[in-house]
Amino acid sequence: MNIQIFQLGLLGTNCYLLEKDGEALVIDPGGDPEIVLNTIEENNLKLQAILLTHAHFDHIGGVESLREETNAPVYIHEEESSWLTDPSLNGSEFFQVGTISTSQPADYSIKPGQHKIGNFSFEAFHTPGHSPGSVSFWFKDDAVIFAGDTLFSQGIGRTDLPFGDHATLIQSITEHILSLPENTTVYPGHGPATQVGEEKRTNSFLI
């Protein structure tokens, strides 16, 4: 599986384009959808789905255009199913960054467990704490997990936003991410990638 990383939108959120045998998944298109669309077109990829780790405004800014242009379905945890269309919930109203929303809710609810979409097989973990519907996507065969704003290199997701909870976040990280093989690469919502073993040994928020 090939992974391309783009820093998109107002906060430079990490957007991930996964490619395998001519098919693609996009994780967290935070903005600047033309960048992702151009890459998909240039490489003649078929976008199978748009996966969202959560629905804060800086992770969803490109969803509307990507879905319109590709007809790819959008997946999100059911606890944030209404956030895509509601600026008062997704934070764009709270941070006064303008109205960021979609005209339609997500197409599917992503439930914890094993999933297969096109050529891609992965496991979804419900990892709340940063937000109630945060989800992490583990691709076991490639030893990678896309953790959204749950875990960062030498950091953890903030929990001072509405619906955040520190104890829940630590529990999510401990149970679902630190329990993975230490050589698992963690791709976060912001900043550089890291590895599970590195965070277990050196992340001051977790020691």
Side-chain angles (χ1 to χ4, degrees):
M1 182 173 72
N2 183 53
I3 302 170
Q4 294 191 60
I5 308 170
F6 309 94
Q7 284 77 44
L8 304 179
L10 295 171
L11 302 183
T13 301
N14 288 335
C15 170
Y16 298 98
L17 176 63
L18 316 184
E19 183 271 322
K20 187 174 183 180
D21 298 330
E23 295 184 352
L25 298 177
V26 169
I27 300 176
D28 289 355
D32 308 308
E34 67 282 354
I35 296 175
V36 181
L37 285 167
N38 288 341
T39 303
I40 290 172
E41 292 171 2
E42 288 169 1
N43 291 277
N44 196 29
L45 301 175
K46 170 63 176 176
L47 184 60
Q48 297 293 322
I50 300 165
L51 305 180
L52 300 176
T53 62
H54 63 297
H56 280 151
F57 72 92
D58 56 316
H59 291 251
I60 67 169
V63 169
E64 182 85 345
S65 293
L66 274 177
R67 179 161 55 179
E68 283 185 355
E69 293 295 327
T70 66
N71 293 315
V74 177
Y75 291 75
I76 198 168
H77 191 274
E78 61 185 358
E79 290 201 33
E80 295 180 19
S81 60
S82 61
W83 290 30
L84 284 177
T85 59
D86 191 339
S88 69
L89 291 173
N90 66 43
S92 58
E93 184 177 285
F94 180 82
F95 284 99
Q96 299 181 340
V97 294
T99 299
I100 296 177
S101 64
T102 62
S103 60
Q104 299 293 327
D107 300 282
Y108 297 108
S109 173
I110 190 83
K111 297 184 181 300
Q114 298 288 338
H115 296 268
K116 181 171 176 57
I117 299 176
N119 293 325
F120 301 90
S121 297
F122 61 93
E123 185 170 358
F125 301 128
H126 184 206
T127 48
H130 174 68
S131 70
S134 286
V135 177
S136 298
F137 303 108
W138 180 40
F139 292 74
K140 181 179 179 180
D141 291 344
D142 297 279
V144 299
I145 186 167
F146 299 89
D149 288 0
T150 297
L151 178 66
F152 302 118
S153 175
Q154 301 301 300
I156 60 174
R158 60 187 296 181
T159 56
D160 59 333
L161 300 175
F163 312 107
D165 184 81
H166 180 79
T168 301
L169 179 67
I170 297 300
Q171 182 178 0
S172 292
I173 294 170
T174 302
E175 290 185 2
H176 295 298
I177 300 180
L178 299 188
S179 60
L180 299 177
E182 291 199 352
N183 67 343
T184 302
T185 298
V186 180
Y187 287 104
H190 304 270
T194 184
Q195 288 199 319
V196 167
E198 179 71 14
E199 298 310 306
K200 288 172 70 173
R201 289 188 292 270
T202 65
N203 190 321
S204 61
F205 294 93
L206 304 174
I207 297 174

